[in-house]
Amino acid sequence: MTIEIKPLSHALGAEVLGADLRKPLDDAGVKSLREAFNQHIVLCIRNQDLSEDDQLRAAGYFGKVHVRRKPTNGRDPGGQWDTPFMMVTNIVENGKPIGVFGDGEMWFHHDTSYYPEPHRATLLYAMKLPSWGGNTCFSNMYRAYENIPRPLRDRLEGRKILQVHDYKRRERLDLDKIDLNSVRHFEQPIFITHPVTGRKSLYVSRLMSARIEGLSREESDAALDQLFAIAEDPAIVYEHRWELGDLVIWDNWCSIHARKDFPREEPRLMRRLTIEGQAMRF
Ligand code: OGA
Ligand code: MN
Protein backbone atom coordinates (compact mmCIF):
# COMPACT_ATOMS: atom_id res chain seq x y z
CA MET A 1 0.00 0.00 0.00
CA THR A 2 1.58 3.28 -1.09
CA ILE A 3 0.35 6.43 0.56
CA GLU A 4 0.05 9.62 -1.40
CA ILE A 5 -0.28 13.08 0.17
CA LYS A 6 -2.24 15.77 -1.67
CA PRO A 7 -2.45 19.32 -0.24
CA LEU A 8 -6.02 20.56 0.33
CA SER A 9 -5.46 24.33 0.36
CA HIS A 10 -2.86 27.09 0.48
CA ALA A 11 -3.56 27.52 4.19
CA LEU A 12 -3.02 24.03 5.58
CA GLY A 13 -4.34 20.48 5.27
CA ALA A 14 -3.66 17.48 3.10
CA GLU A 15 -5.64 14.50 1.91
CA VAL A 16 -4.12 11.07 2.42
CA LEU A 17 -4.76 8.81 -0.55
CA GLY A 18 -4.32 5.06 -0.74
CA ALA A 19 -4.75 4.24 2.96
CA ASP A 20 -7.23 1.65 4.25
CA LEU A 21 -7.22 2.07 8.01
CA ARG A 22 -9.12 -1.16 8.62
CA LYS A 23 -5.73 -2.83 8.35
CA PRO A 24 -2.51 -1.96 10.18
CA LEU A 25 -0.15 0.28 8.22
CA ASP A 26 3.44 -0.84 7.72
CA ASP A 27 6.28 1.19 9.25
CA ALA A 28 6.85 3.17 6.06
CA GLY A 29 3.15 4.08 5.95
CA VAL A 30 3.15 5.26 9.55
CA LYS A 31 6.28 7.32 8.90
CA SER A 32 4.69 9.02 5.86
CA LEU A 33 1.56 9.80 7.88
CA ARG A 34 3.53 11.35 10.73
CA GLU A 35 5.69 13.43 8.41
CA ALA A 36 2.64 14.64 6.48
CA PHE A 37 0.92 15.48 9.77
CA ASN A 38 3.85 17.56 11.03
CA GLN A 39 4.06 19.36 7.70
CA HIS A 40 0.38 19.90 6.82
CA ILE A 41 -1.21 20.27 10.31
CA VAL A 42 -4.52 18.69 9.24
CA LEU A 43 -4.90 15.32 7.50
CA CYS A 44 -8.08 14.00 5.92
CA ILE A 45 -8.51 10.35 5.06
CA ARG A 46 -11.73 9.86 3.14
CA ASN A 47 -14.03 6.87 2.56
CA GLN A 48 -13.04 4.97 5.67
CA ASP A 49 -15.26 2.31 7.24
CA LEU A 50 -13.86 2.20 10.75
CA SER A 51 -14.74 0.17 13.82
CA GLU A 52 -13.80 1.64 17.19
CA ASP A 53 -10.70 -0.57 17.20
CA ASP A 54 -9.70 0.64 13.73
CA GLN A 55 -9.98 4.26 14.82
CA LEU A 56 -8.00 3.54 18.00
CA ARG A 57 -5.23 1.89 15.96
CA ALA A 58 -5.14 4.83 13.54
CA ALA A 59 -4.98 7.31 16.42
CA GLY A 60 -2.08 5.37 17.91
CA TYR A 61 0.05 6.24 14.86
CA PHE A 62 0.12 9.81 16.19
CA GLY A 63 0.78 9.24 19.89
CA LYS A 64 -0.79 7.95 23.08
CA VAL A 65 -4.57 7.94 23.02
CA HIS A 66 -6.15 9.93 25.86
CA VAL A 67 -8.78 8.38 28.14
CA ARG A 68 -11.34 10.89 29.45
CA ARG A 69 -11.70 11.20 33.22
CA LYS A 70 -14.57 12.96 34.95
CA PRO A 71 -13.74 16.47 36.22
CA THR A 72 -13.17 16.59 39.97
CA ASN A 73 -15.05 19.88 40.43
CA GLY A 74 -18.40 18.08 40.28
CA ARG A 75 -19.27 19.56 36.92
CA ASP A 76 -20.31 17.11 34.22
CA PRO A 77 -20.09 18.61 30.73
CA GLY A 78 -21.70 15.46 29.31
CA GLY A 79 -20.36 12.71 27.17
CA GLN A 80 -18.79 9.44 28.10
CA TRP A 81 -16.20 8.83 30.79
CA ASP A 82 -13.42 6.32 31.27
CA THR A 83 -13.39 5.57 27.55
CA PRO A 84 -11.16 7.21 24.96
CA PHE A 85 -14.19 7.91 22.73
CA MET A 86 -16.43 10.90 22.90
CA MET A 87 -19.38 11.54 20.62
CA VAL A 88 -19.56 15.03 19.15
CA THR A 89 -23.24 15.29 18.36
CA ASN A 90 -26.54 17.11 18.71
CA ILE A 91 -28.45 13.83 19.09
CA VAL A 92 -30.68 13.64 22.17
CA GLU A 93 -32.10 10.33 23.37
CA ASN A 94 -34.74 10.14 26.13
CA GLY A 95 -34.20 13.82 26.83
CA LYS A 96 -30.44 13.39 27.32
CA PRO A 97 -27.67 14.42 24.90
CA ILE A 98 -25.68 11.32 23.89
CA GLY A 99 -22.57 13.41 23.37
CA VAL A 100 -21.08 16.88 23.53
CA PHE A 101 -20.93 20.22 21.69
CA GLY A 102 -24.67 20.17 20.74
CA ASP A 103 -25.74 22.06 17.69
CA GLY A 104 -24.87 25.13 15.71
CA GLU A 105 -21.84 27.28 15.41
CA MET A 106 -18.75 26.89 17.55
CA TRP A 107 -16.12 29.64 17.65
CA PHE A 108 -12.43 29.13 16.94
CA HIS A 109 -10.48 27.39 19.70
CA HIS A 110 -7.62 25.05 20.53
CA ASP A 111 -8.84 21.89 22.26
CA THR A 112 -7.85 21.74 25.96
CA SER A 113 -5.72 24.91 25.86
CA TYR A 114 -6.90 25.32 29.47
CA TYR A 115 -5.05 22.13 30.53
CA PRO A 116 -1.46 22.24 31.81
CA GLU A 117 -0.72 19.71 29.03
CA PRO A 118 -2.95 20.46 26.03
CA HIS A 119 -3.69 17.55 23.70
CA ARG A 120 -1.43 17.08 20.74
CA ALA A 121 -4.17 16.13 18.33
CA THR A 122 -7.85 15.37 17.86
CA LEU A 123 -9.39 12.86 15.45
CA LEU A 124 -12.99 13.15 14.26
CA TYR A 125 -14.70 10.40 12.29
CA ALA A 126 -17.87 11.42 10.43
CA MET A 127 -20.77 8.98 11.04
CA LYS A 128 -23.90 11.12 10.47
CA LEU A 129 -24.07 14.45 8.66
CA PRO A 130 -26.77 17.11 8.19
CA SER A 131 -27.95 18.06 4.69
CA TRP A 132 -26.03 21.34 4.84
CA GLY A 133 -23.51 23.16 7.02
CA GLY A 134 -21.51 21.87 9.94
CA ASN A 135 -18.24 22.48 8.08
CA THR A 136 -15.16 22.65 10.27
CA CYS A 137 -12.67 25.46 9.62
CA PHE A 138 -9.00 25.10 10.49
CA SER A 139 -6.58 28.01 10.75
CA ASN A 140 -2.78 27.82 10.56
CA MET A 141 -1.27 29.35 13.71
CA TYR A 142 2.33 29.27 12.39
CA ARG A 143 1.19 31.64 9.66
CA ALA A 144 -0.81 33.69 12.16
CA TYR A 145 2.35 34.19 14.23
CA GLU A 146 4.29 35.31 11.16
CA ASN A 147 1.49 37.75 10.25
CA ILE A 148 1.50 39.66 13.56
CA PRO A 149 2.86 43.19 13.00
CA ARG A 150 6.37 43.43 14.44
CA PRO A 151 5.61 46.07 17.13
CA LEU A 152 2.69 44.02 18.52
CA ARG A 153 4.75 40.83 18.44
CA ASP A 154 7.61 42.50 20.32
CA ARG A 155 5.18 43.88 22.90
CA LEU A 156 3.65 40.45 23.56
CA GLU A 157 6.76 38.26 23.34
CA GLY A 158 7.29 36.37 26.61
CA ARG A 159 3.81 37.10 27.96
CA LYS A 160 1.19 34.60 29.06
CA ILE A 161 -2.45 34.31 28.15
CA LEU A 162 -5.19 33.02 30.43
CA GLN A 163 -7.07 30.15 28.74
CA VAL A 164 -10.50 29.37 30.17
CA HIS A 165 -13.13 26.73 29.44
CA ASP A 166 -16.58 27.86 30.55
CA TYR A 167 -18.51 25.37 28.38
CA LYS A 168 -19.89 28.01 25.99
CA ARG A 169 -19.63 27.60 22.22
CA ARG A 170 -20.12 31.05 20.76
CA GLU A 171 -19.78 33.74 23.42
CA ARG A 172 -16.86 35.83 24.66
CA LEU A 173 -15.56 34.98 28.12
CA ASP A 174 -16.60 37.57 30.68
CA LEU A 175 -14.13 37.56 33.56
CA ASP A 176 -16.48 39.78 35.57
CA LYS A 177 -19.06 36.99 35.60
CA ILE A 178 -16.91 33.87 35.66
CA ASP A 179 -15.75 32.34 38.92
CA LEU A 180 -12.37 30.96 37.90
CA ASN A 181 -12.48 28.47 40.76
CA SER A 182 -15.41 26.72 39.12
CA VAL A 183 -14.03 26.35 35.59
CA ARG A 184 -10.91 24.86 34.09
CA HIS A 185 -8.27 27.45 33.29
CA PHE A 186 -4.51 27.74 32.78
CA GLU A 187 -1.99 30.41 31.81
CA GLN A 188 -0.11 29.52 28.62
CA PRO A 189 2.60 31.27 26.63
CA ILE A 190 0.90 33.56 24.11
CA PHE A 191 3.42 32.37 21.49
CA ILE A 192 4.47 28.75 21.84
CA THR A 193 7.33 26.83 20.33
CA HIS A 194 5.82 23.68 18.83
CA PRO A 195 7.45 20.80 20.74
CA VAL A 196 7.85 18.62 17.63
CA THR A 197 8.53 21.02 14.76
CA GLY A 198 10.28 23.74 16.81
CA ARG A 199 8.29 26.42 14.97
CA LYS A 200 6.71 29.44 16.70
CA SER A 201 2.93 29.48 16.77
CA LEU A 202 0.23 31.87 17.99
CA TYR A 203 -1.65 30.38 20.93
CA VAL A 204 -4.86 32.39 21.31
CA SER A 205 -8.49 31.83 20.31
CA ARG A 206 -11.70 33.83 20.42
CA LEU A 207 -13.55 31.16 22.43
CA MET A 208 -11.04 30.39 25.17
CA SER A 209 -8.44 33.17 25.53
CA ALA A 210 -9.50 35.56 28.27
CA ARG A 211 -6.72 37.96 29.18
CA ILE A 212 -3.08 38.75 28.47
CA GLU A 213 -1.02 38.75 31.61
CA GLY A 214 0.63 42.04 32.62
CA LEU A 215 -1.56 44.32 30.46
CA SER A 216 -4.48 46.46 31.59
CA ARG A 217 -7.94 45.14 30.71
CA GLU A 218 -8.26 47.70 27.88
CA GLU A 219 -4.81 46.95 26.45
CA SER A 220 -5.42 43.23 26.64
CA ASP A 221 -8.84 43.47 24.94
CA ALA A 222 -7.42 45.64 22.15
CA ALA A 223 -4.46 43.32 21.55
CA LEU A 224 -6.72 40.24 21.58
CA ASP A 225 -9.08 41.81 19.03
CA GLN A 226 -6.10 42.31 16.73
CA LEU A 227 -4.83 38.77 17.32
CA PHE A 228 -8.27 37.19 16.72
CA ALA A 229 -8.54 39.01 13.38
CA ILE A 230 -5.09 37.75 12.36
CA ALA A 231 -5.85 34.22 13.58
CA GLU A 232 -9.14 34.05 11.66
CA ASP A 233 -7.88 35.61 8.43
CA PRO A 234 -9.51 33.59 5.60
CA ALA A 235 -6.13 33.51 3.82
CA ILE A 236 -4.83 31.05 6.45
CA VAL A 237 -8.05 29.04 6.90
CA TYR A 238 -9.06 25.76 5.28
CA GLU A 239 -12.78 24.93 5.47
CA HIS A 240 -13.53 21.21 5.57
CA ARG A 241 -16.77 20.01 3.98
CA TRP A 242 -17.46 16.70 5.62
CA GLU A 243 -18.40 13.52 3.82
CA LEU A 244 -19.49 10.33 5.56
CA GLY A 245 -16.47 8.17 6.34
CA ASP A 246 -14.02 11.09 6.61
CA LEU A 247 -11.40 10.73 9.29
CA VAL A 248 -9.80 14.09 10.04
CA ILE A 249 -6.91 14.62 12.42
CA TRP A 250 -5.60 18.05 13.41
CA ASP A 251 -2.46 19.23 15.17
CA ASN A 252 -3.98 21.02 18.11
CA TRP A 253 -0.80 22.94 19.02
CA CYS A 254 -0.43 24.91 15.78
CA SER A 255 -4.03 25.23 14.59
CA ILE A 256 -7.37 26.47 15.83
CA HIS A 257 -10.71 25.18 14.57
CA ALA A 258 -14.32 26.37 14.42
CA ARG A 259 -17.60 24.84 13.36
CA LYS A 260 -20.19 26.47 11.12
CA ASP A 261 -23.92 26.38 11.69
CA PHE A 262 -26.13 23.46 10.59
CA PRO A 263 -29.84 22.58 10.94
CA ARG A 264 -30.46 21.70 14.57
CA GLU A 265 -33.23 19.22 13.74
CA GLU A 266 -30.85 17.09 11.64
CA PRO A 267 -28.48 14.65 13.37
CA ARG A 268 -24.72 15.16 13.13
CA LEU A 269 -22.51 12.51 14.73
CA MET A 270 -18.72 12.39 14.93
CA ARG A 271 -16.68 9.83 16.87
CA ARG A 272 -13.79 11.60 18.55
CA LEU A 273 -10.43 10.63 20.03
CA THR A 274 -7.61 12.80 21.31
CA ILE A 275 -3.87 12.28 21.60
CA GLU A 276 -2.12 13.18 24.84
CA GLY A 277 0.04 16.27 24.91
CA GLN A 278 2.65 18.03 26.99
CA ALA A 279 3.29 21.44 28.55
CA MET A 280 3.48 24.39 26.18
CA ARG A 281 6.74 26.39 26.25
CA PHE A 282 7.75 29.83 24.99
C1 OGA B 1 -13.99 19.13 18.60
C2 OGA B 1 -14.62 20.18 17.79
C3 OGA B 1 -15.89 20.66 15.83
C4 OGA B 1 -16.91 20.02 14.95
O1 OGA B 1 -14.36 17.96 18.44
O2 OGA B 1 -13.07 19.46 19.38
O3 OGA B 1 -14.35 21.33 18.01
O4 OGA B 1 -16.93 20.35 13.77
N1 OGA B 1 -15.46 19.79 16.83
O5 OGA B 1 -17.71 19.23 15.46
MN1 MN C 1 -12.66 21.51 19.43
Side-chain angles (χ1 to χ4, degrees):
M1 190 156 46
T2 320
I3 284 177
E4 214 187 303
I5 307 292
K6 194 179 122 212
L8 281 165
S9 78
H10 290 295
L12 85 193
E15 184 172 350
V16 178
L17 299 164
D20 177 358
L21 298 176
R22 287 175 305 181
K23 299 180 209 107
L25 290 180
D26 60 18
D27 290 350
V30 174
K31 187 161 176 278
S32 327
L33 270 195
R34 285 191 187 140
E35 284 172 1
F37 183 56
N38 290 334
Q39 183 183 346
H40 295 284
I41 305 173
V42 175
L43 296 182
C44 174
I45 309 156
R46 293 198 187 270
N47 286 314
Q48 300 295 306
D49 179 13
L50 304 180
S51 67
E52 289 193 350
D53 283 345
D54 295 334
Q55 192 178 346
L56 275 172
R57 185 184 335 100
Y61 299 146
F62 299 93
K64 183 165 183 273
V65 177
H66 177 74
V67 177
R68 300 180 74 234
R69 302 285 177 214
K70 202 164 185 151
T72 48
N73 62 4
R75 192 148 185 180
D76 185 350
Q80 296 77 39
W81 300 104
D82 303 319
T83 149
F85 290 100
M86 188 163 93
M87 293 302 175
V88 173
T89 186
N90 57 346
I91 298 175
V92 174
E93 277 171 8
N94 304 318
K96 249 192 104 158
I98 64 161
V100 295
F101 305 155
D103 50 34
E105 194 194 342
M106 204 169 165
W107 281 2
F108 273 105
H109 61 281
H110 296 90
D111 291 333
T112 59
S113 56
Y114 45 86
Y115 281 9
E117 299 186 341
H119 293 151
R120 168 80 206 276
T122 304
L123 296 94
L124 281 189
Y125 176 57
M127 303 179 77
K128 277 197 175 91
L129 293 172
S131 57
W132 60 265
N135 296 355
T136 307
C137 299
F138 297 94
S139 188
N140 183 332
M141 291 301 99
Y142 296 133
R143 297 267 296 277
Y145 174 78
E146 290 159 10
N147 291 344
I148 303 168
R150 201 67 216 213
L152 180 60
R153 210 158 98 182
D154 289 344
R155 195 151 67 83
L156 299 179
E157 197 68 60
R159 291 196 186 277
K160 289 190 164 181
I161 173 86
L162 178 64
Q163 305 278 6
V164 180
H165 183 35
D166 75 343
Y167 302 97
K168 303 254 168 51
R169 295 198 290 277
R170 41 195 178 246
E171 224 175 284
R172 260 316 269 154
L173 294 154
D174 183 349
L175 286 182
D176 290 328
K177 296 212 186 102
I178 293 170
D179 171 14
L180 279 181
N181 294 317
S182 71
V183 294
R184 292 196 179 203
H185 62 280
F186 197 79
E187 276 202 323
Q188 302 282 7
I190 194 162
F191 308 137
I192 60 156
T193 301
H194 191 290
V196 176
T197 65
R199 294 178 65 190
K200 293 283 265 186
S201 182
L202 175 62
Y203 203 69
V204 303
S205 73
R206 189 179 294 278
L207 187 61
M208 294 177 178
S209 297
R211 175 137 190 210
I212 301 169
E213 165 240 20
L215 300 188
S216 72
R217 179 74 67 99
E218 291 71 31
E219 286 175 316
S220 169
D221 284 348
L224 283 177
D225 278 346
Q226 262 185 289
L227 292 177
F228 297 155
I230 293 165
E232 298 173 6
D233 176 358
I236 58 169
V237 171
Y238 161 66
E239 179 168 341
H240 187 69
R241 263 196 76 176
W242 291 94
E243 286 171 30
L244 286 177
D246 282 359
L247 179 73
V248 170
I249 174 165
W250 63 86
D251 187 327
N252 184 51
W253 290 336
C254 55
S255 67
I256 50 175
H257 55 282
R259 181 174 73 195
K260 293 215 162 158
D261 201 9
F262 61 98
R264 60 176 54 206
E265 64 283 2
E266 291 184 32
R268 182 179 187 269
L269 178 70
M270 314 293 226
R271 199 168 61 197
R272 181 185 196 267
L273 291 174
T274 54
I275 303 299
E276 289 193 349
Q278 63 190 74
M280 297 290 95
R281 308 247 179 259
F282 286 104

